[in-house]
């Protein structure tokens, strides 16, 4: 029986080996077919380009790799990258900083010219949010639709790009219809407090461009904090920092659409600590700050996959670090809920102080203001400078805004069957508040109660 069992096992093993070999052969043949086609094309190219050197050996061109076969052909090969940016085809996506990007220049202490800041550029449609703001709630979601952005981004010195664009735009003959939009409004918020509703509704106006949570703006605003946290350096010139913020937003304010007249920025929640900086650069722009009940915003901010606020434990802004000192706490020793509570409280404190000290800005309560009927059309939009557009066609504006408000603000491009895209104020009423949330909010968020 043992011998028979052994023969049976060896027989099964032989069959399995033959099966694996056959499968491998099929796979190899499939790959060989695809590579063979590319090889034949390269042989033909070699023959046509070297027909005057018949006695020379053929050029040894490396076989196409499986990785390279996964990428699409770059349709912009050979194009001048700076000209693509000047024309508005290629747009700024993100920034890259080094330790001395904004360092003080001891030889020219009054110089505000930064060096060592690089911008990443690619071609994408930055008005997809006007077609479907819930599916494309941020710039990153629009960038993700572009093969060029995924595979063929350009990284260039930002100061050289700004110089080239400025030279191009100053010559009205060569601008090709490019214009620079005024910054009409900035939307700040705690997160999960209704700023997405306002931003999405703003996209319904024909003459608005809404830039939501742009990575380059975030990178410019937190540049000094990033250099401090990442490189342990405090060498960051305020004038160079301010110039960087101005240049980034200036690049994003360019538009070739003749209908666009207003630029609105919806910042990410963490950027609210930089309200004073942005107001210094753009003092005439209106601004709003959305907030909500302390326990509710903390509960939502600490949900799994939403708790980006926990990153502030290791990467705090200078303002939050100062808040920690005032509370006499060590960020490293705080729990997730406590760190996020301190972070959210810091955002409210910055917005409130700026509002009270300058008499500017509109503080918008999610529960008491935003959810009230017609708050957007009767209060918020007029404050942001859109009264003329509303008066021109009030019924159409109201209908378009109501359609946007009936949809959840962030579907993130997912149309799954289990995702309810419909939204109403009532559907947001119940927020589970845990004991951890309640304790952390009482510790750091009393001013918001």
């Amino acid at each position: 029986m043992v011998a028979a069992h052994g023969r049976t096992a060896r027989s099964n093993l032989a069959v399995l080996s033959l099966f694996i070999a056959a499968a491998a052969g099929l796979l190899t043949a499939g790959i060989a077919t695809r590579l063979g086609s590319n090889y034949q094309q390269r042989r033909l190219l070699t023959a046509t380009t070297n027909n005057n050197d018949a006695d020379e050996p053929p050029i040894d061109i490396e076989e196409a790799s499986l990785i390279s076969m996964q990428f699409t052909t770059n349709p912009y090969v050979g194009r001048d990258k700076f000209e693509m940016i000047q024309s508005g085809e290629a747009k700024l996506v993100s920034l890259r900083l080094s330790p001395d990007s904004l360092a003080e220049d001891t030889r020219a202490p009054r110089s505000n010219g930064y060096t060592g800041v690089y911008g990443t550029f690619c071609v994408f449609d930055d008005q997809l949010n006007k077609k479907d703001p819930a599916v494309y709630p941020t710039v990153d979601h629009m960038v993700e639709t572009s093969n060029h952005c995924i595979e063929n981004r350009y990284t260039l010195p930002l100061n050289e790009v700004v110089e080239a664009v400025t030279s191009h735009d100053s010559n009205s003959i060569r601008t090709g219809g490019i214009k620079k939009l005024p910054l009409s409004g900035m939307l700040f918020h705690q997160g999960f407090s209704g700023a997405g509703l306002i931003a999405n509704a703003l996209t319904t106006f024909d003459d608005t461009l809404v830039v939501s949570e742009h990575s380059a703006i975030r990178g410019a605003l937190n540049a000094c904090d990033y250099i401090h946290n990442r490189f342990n350096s405090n060498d960051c010139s305020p004038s160079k920092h301010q110039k960087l913020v101005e240049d980034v937003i200036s690049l994003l304010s360019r538009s070739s659409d003749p209908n666009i007249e207003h630029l609105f920025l919806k910042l990410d929640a963490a950027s609210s600590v930089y309200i004073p900086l942005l107001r210094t650069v753009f003092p005439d722009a209106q601004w709003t700050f959305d907030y909500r009940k302390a326990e509710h915003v903390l509960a939502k901010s600490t949900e799994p996959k939403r708790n980006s606020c926990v990153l502030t434990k290791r990467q705090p802004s200078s303002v939050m670090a100062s808040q920690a000192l005032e509370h006499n706490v060590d960020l490293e020793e705080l729990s997730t809920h406590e760190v996020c509570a301190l972070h959210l409280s810091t955002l409210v404190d910055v917005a409130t102080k700026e509002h009270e000290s300058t008499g500017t800005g509109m503080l918008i309560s999610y529960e008491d203001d935003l959810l009230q009927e017609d708050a957007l059309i009767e209060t918020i939009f007029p404050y942001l400078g859109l009264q003329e557009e509303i008066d021109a066609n009030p019924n159409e504006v109201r209908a378009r805004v109501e359609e946007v408000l009936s949809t959840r603000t962030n579907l993130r491009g997912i149309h799954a069957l289990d995702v309810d895209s419909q939204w109403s104020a009532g559907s947001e009423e119940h927020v589970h508040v845990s004991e951890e949330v309640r304790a952390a909010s009482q510790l750091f968020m009393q001013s918001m109660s």
Side-chain angles (χ1 to χ4, degrees), residues 13-200:
L13 181 60
V15 172
L16 180 60
S17 298
L18 288 173
F19 177 79
I20 293 174
L26 289 174
L27 179 60
T28 303
I31 295 174
T33 298
R34 294 194 299 273
L35 292 179
S37 176
N38 291 336
Y39 176 73
Q40 292 298 331
Q41 294 177 15
R42 285 194 299 277
R43 285 292 301 274
L44 178 61
L45 177 63
T46 301
T48 56
T49 55
N50 294 281
N51 55 6
N52 294 325
D53 302 305
D55 295 334
E56 296 292 328
I59 298 175
D60 183 15
I61 302 177
E62 184 180 355
E63 291 286 350
S65 69
L66 291 176
I67 294 177
S68 65
M69 291 173 60
Q70 299 177 40
F71 292 91
T72 58
T73 302
N74 181 4
Y76 304 100
V77 171
R79 293 281 302 279
D80 185 281
K81 299 178 178 63
F82 282 90
E83 288 183 358
M84 291 178 64
I85 296 170
Q86 289 173 326
S87 68
E89 281 183 277
K91 302 175 180 66
L92 180 63
V93 175
S94 60
L95 299 180
R96 193 179 75 200
L97 302 172
S98 61
D100 57 352
S101 290
L102 302 179
E104 291 280 7
D105 190 344
T106 56
R107 294 168 299 179
R110 296 186 179 181
S111 172
N112 63 356
Y114 52 82
T115 57
V117 178
Y118 290 85
T120 302
F121 298 82
C122 61
V123 178
F124 69 97
D125 186 349
D126 63 350
Q127 293 196 42
L128 286 175
N129 58 345
K130 294 188 79 69
K131 302 172 183 177
D132 199 336
V135 172
Y136 305 103
T138 71
V139 171
D140 283 347
H141 292 97
M142 291 182 270
V143 169
E144 289 171 0
T145 67
S146 166
N147 285 332
H148 186 258
C149 290
I150 295 172
E151 302 171 3
N152 300 288
R153 298 186 182 195
Y154 308 136
T155 300
L156 302 166
L158 192 70
N159 57 348
E160 295 182 16
V161 171
V162 172
E163 182 179 353
V165 167
T166 302
S167 175
H168 173 271
D169 291 354
S170 64
N171 188 338
S172 59
I173 298 176
R174 295 189 295 122
T175 56
I178 296 290
K179 61 181 179 181
K180 187 174 179 180
L181 302 172
L183 180 56
S184 298
M186 301 177 287
L187 311 181
F188 301 98
H189 56 102
Q190 282 185 303
F192 314 105
S193 51
L197 289 172
I198 299 176
N200 288 359

Side-chain angles (χ1 to χ4, degrees), residues 55-359:
D55 295 334
E56 296 292 328
I59 298 175
D60 183 15
I61 302 177
E62 184 180 355
E63 291 286 350
S65 69
L66 291 176
I67 294 177
S68 65
M69 291 173 60
Q70 299 177 40
F71 292 91
T72 58
T73 302
N74 181 4
Y76 304 100
V77 171
R79 293 281 302 279
D80 185 281
K81 299 178 178 63
F82 282 90
E83 288 183 358
M84 291 178 64
I85 296 170
Q86 289 173 326
S87 68
E89 281 183 277
K91 302 175 180 66
L92 180 63
V93 175
S94 60
L95 299 180
R96 193 179 75 200
L97 302 172
S98 61
D100 57 352
S101 290
L102 302 179
E104 291 280 7
D105 190 344
T106 56
R107 294 168 299 179
R110 296 186 179 181
S111 172
N112 63 356
Y114 52 82
T115 57
V117 178
Y118 290 85
T120 302
F121 298 82
C122 61
V123 178
F124 69 97
D125 186 349
D126 63 350
Q127 293 196 42
L128 286 175
N129 58 345
K130 294 188 79 69
K131 302 172 183 177
D132 199 336
V135 172
Y136 305 103
T138 71
V139 171
D140 283 347
H141 292 97
M142 291 182 270
V143 169
E144 289 171 0
T145 67
S146 166
N147 285 332
H148 186 258
C149 290
I150 295 172
E151 302 171 3
N152 300 288
R153 298 186 182 195
Y154 308 136
T155 300
L156 302 166
L158 192 70
N159 57 348
E160 295 182 16
V161 171
V162 172
E163 182 179 353
V165 167
T166 302
S167 175
H168 173 271
D169 291 354
S170 64
N171 188 338
S172 59
I173 298 176
R174 295 189 295 122
T175 56
I178 296 290
K179 61 181 179 181
K180 187 174 179 180
L181 302 172
L183 180 56
S184 298
M186 301 177 287
L187 311 181
F188 301 98
H189 56 102
Q190 282 185 303
F192 314 105
S193 51
L197 289 172
I198 299 176
N200 288 359
L202 282 171
T203 65
T204 65
F205 290 87
D206 293 333
D207 61 351
T208 62
L209 174 63
V210 181
V211 178
S212 292
E213 302 189 16
H214 200 296
S215 296
I217 297 179
R218 169 64 175 162
L221 289 173
N222 77 345
C224 287
D225 287 329
Y226 170 80
I227 290 172
H228 172 75
N229 293 325
R230 177 68 177 81
F231 304 112
N232 194 29
S233 171
N234 292 318
D235 191 359
C236 191
S237 164
S239 61
K240 292 183 180 181
H241 187 196
Q242 183 172 317
K243 180 66 164 57
L244 175 61
V245 172
E246 184 178 0
D247 284 350
V248 166
I249 295 179
S250 178
L251 287 175
L252 299 177
S253 71
R254 302 172 74 240
S255 175
S256 59
D257 189 331
N259 296 318
I260 302 296
E261 299 293 339
H262 301 280
L263 171 65
F264 291 97
L265 303 179
K266 181 206 169 199
L267 292 303
D268 67 303
S271 291
S272 295
V273 297
Y274 306 108
I275 292 175
L277 171 58
L278 276 168
R279 289 216 59 255
T280 298
V281 181
F282 301 100
D284 297 328
Q286 303 284 43
W287 64 277
T288 62
F289 179 81
D290 288 55
Y291 65 97
R292 70 186 299 171
K293 186 176 179 181
E295 292 181 347
H296 288 186
V297 71
L298 180 57
K300 283 187 166 291
S301 297
T302 51
E303 290 177 359
K305 298 184 179 181
R306 285 181 164 183
N307 59 346
S308 60
C309 53
V310 74
L311 298 176
T312 59
K313 173 182 283 191
R314 298 285 178 87
Q315 304 168 30
S317 65
S318 58
V319 181
M320 183 173 169
S322 297
Q323 288 282 73
L325 288 175
E326 287 186 20
H327 287 279
N328 195 29
V329 295
D330 184 345
L331 291 176
E332 290 291 340
E333 296 179 358
L334 298 182
S335 68
T336 295
H337 292 86
E338 290 169 344
V339 168
C340 289
L342 180 60
H343 163 71
L344 295 169
S345 176
T346 301
L347 303 184
V348 173
D349 287 347
V350 171
T352 301
K353 288 178 182 178
E354 185 71 17
H355 174 66
E356 293 177 350
S357 64
T358 66

